[in-house]
Amino acid sequence: MSKRSPARALISGALRGPAGSADPPPEPLAPHGLSGHLVGFVEALRGRGIPVGPSETVDAGQVLTVLDLMDREMLREGLACALLRRTTQRTTFDGLFDLWFPPALGERASAEDVEIPRRADGEIDIFELRKMLAQLLAADPSGERTRELQELAAQMVEQMGQYQSANGPSFSAYQTLKDLQPELLVSKILAGLAAGSDNSDFDNEIARRAARQRIRDFRSTVEAETRRRVAERIGRERVATYGVQRQAEDADFLRISENELAELRRGSQRLARVLAARLAARRRRARRGEIDLRKTLRKSMSTGGVPIKLAARKPRPTRPDLVLLCDISGSVAGFSSFTMMLVNSLREQFSRVRIFAFVDRVDEVTHIFDQVTPLDQVTRRIFTETKVVGIEGHSDYGAALRVFAENFGEAVTSRTSLLILGDARTNYRDPALDTLRELAGVAKHAYWLNPEGEKMWGTGDSAARRYAEIVEMHECRSARQLTAVVSRLLPV
């Protein structure tokens, strides 16, 4: 296996072609050199939802001409400045940068000096390894400590993370860390961090958070090293599809993590501004009015019947009402809560916005979306302060629709746009199709936004196909897809 310094690996890794065999020989240069490699990196960023245009790509090319390519971190920061527009894109960028500009090829030569403790029988001594890792994590943060942790992680992946897959030997971060369990080192790291402090409650809490953060950082280092080694065997493009964190806007609502949902909530105001701009543009176009054929023909009499000047009907723009009916049970809660926040941010675009939530009972929650409640506490307040959960606590679309029609039916008028959010899974109960038909008949517009993939509609207890016969239903699996659908459907 080849062993090269990080500086040389940066250049050769940038110019090499895609990886091939399990232990490949030195590979040929990329067809278009470093510039072609940069274009491939830009295409990978676009593939993960980061918009990079031609001008940013040219700027990145200029960065490569003025920065020292031997300084990998300087190159990382320079390309990030040229290619990124938002700080939320940085995690995805760093993951792809590590694949396209790796710190080494094969086993790190600088890590050979790191010795993994072993017992007399030759097996790795996990107890001594934990002590060694705890000492490094408790040391004062510095460039030297970071380098030692990276070299230790590289040796651990090399000696503890290898396994035999169907396609030959590979590496696994889980395999590397499953016996070590670095989360168990918090107390040992705290002991090292607490030396010389007054051990107050405040200092102890700060030290505890610092210890947990250092453990998370080391785990990330092991995962990055694993991705690098695997990418050399199966190709960086393939690893990028599953090993690099996606943009929160592209996360599937039904599988979204807490961190991704929190990031979406923080970005809801930005998405609301985008939607407001699109609605304003549509409203400006709508002011032109439709062509009035009668007036146009009258004006054409002076030109012998040739309609040279078109006459338009004077539009009478009115801001419509908007009513949201949202399922907030189970896995769709993240989708519904984010959509409610997004639409609530568009209040100024409508004459009135009313929001209703349900599990198996319905209640109005418009008052909860105020300027005081933090975004991450909106869902908690809905469950604690409103009556959205009945005796059973399972989704019941039929009961929710009937109660909504009985208790809040006056909210839907001929000026109302009705938006229903949910996966339409009724737990095999009566879907109340007639009630939905009556509500849709009264409303000016009625749409259903479903976070499930369309291929899943109608399977199991899903009544989506039956509801779609009454109300126009759209798939909204991610925030990006939701923004596109809402901007197209919301009336002006």
Side-chain angles (χ1 to χ4, degrees), residues 312-472:
R313 295 187 181 94
K314 185 177 180 180
R316 296 179 175 83
T318 58
R319 294 189 175 185
D321 297 341
L322 183 63
V323 171
L324 263 69
L325 182 58
C326 313
D327 178 8
I328 60 170
S329 64
S331 58
V332 299
F335 161 69
S336 295
S337 63
F338 172 72
T339 307
M340 287 188 289
M341 295 173 197
L342 184 64
V343 173
N344 181 71
S345 301
L346 298 171
R347 280 179 177 272
E348 296 180 357
Q349 304 296 322
F350 302 93
S351 60
R352 182 173 59 172
V353 175
R354 297 184 68 179
I355 303 175
F356 300 86
F358 71 90
V359 176
D360 55 351
R361 296 177 62 181
V362 180
D363 201 356
E364 185 167 5
V365 298
T366 309
H367 62 282
I368 294 179
F369 292 86
D370 51 32
Q371 301 297 324
V372 179
T373 304
L375 296 180
D376 59 345
Q377 297 183 17
V378 168
T379 303
R380 181 185 60 80
R381 285 193 60 190
I382 290 176
F383 279 103
T384 57
E385 300 179 17
T386 63
K387 300 177 181 179
V388 297
V389 181
I391 298 177
E392 297 185 5
H394 299 293
S395 294
D396 190 340
Y397 281 78
L401 288 171
R402 284 190 290 268
V403 173
F404 176 77
E406 293 173 4
N407 298 341
F408 306 101
E410 80 286 351
V412 180
T413 67
S414 59
R415 295 185 53 199
T416 300
S417 291
L418 176 62
L419 227 60
I420 304 176
L421 314 178
D423 58 4
R425 294 201 170 270
T426 63
N427 290 305
Y428 299 102
R429 297 172 179 174
D430 179 16
L433 299 177
D434 291 338
T435 304
L436 178 61
R437 190 176 287 108
E438 292 176 3
L439 291 172
V442 174
K444 184 177 182 179
H445 305 286
Y447 303 107
W448 193 304
L449 307 185
N450 195 328
E452 271 196 338
E454 188 171 353
K455 64 181 180 180
M456 300 298 295
W457 296 357
T459 62
D461 62 342
S462 173
R465 296 293 181 189
R466 301 170 68 184
Y467 284 135
E469 296 175 357
I470 303 172
V471 176
E472 184 178 334

Side-chain angles (χ1 to χ4, degrees), residues 254-281:
L254 299 184
R255 298 172 180 83
I256 195 168
S257 66
E258 287 295 329
N259 291 336
E260 290 171 331
L261 184 57
E263 186 174 324
L264 278 182
R265 287 168 177 163
R266 288 192 295 268
S268 61
Q269 294 296 329
R270 179 183 58 81
L271 291 177
R273 289 193 296 269
V274 171
L275 280 175
R278 293 179 182 177
L279 292 176

Side-chain angles (χ1 to χ4, degrees), residues 27-44:
E27 298 170 353
L29 296 181
H32 302 289
L34 187 57
S35 58
H37 184 79
L38 175 63
V39 172
F41 176 59
V42 168
E43 291 176 351

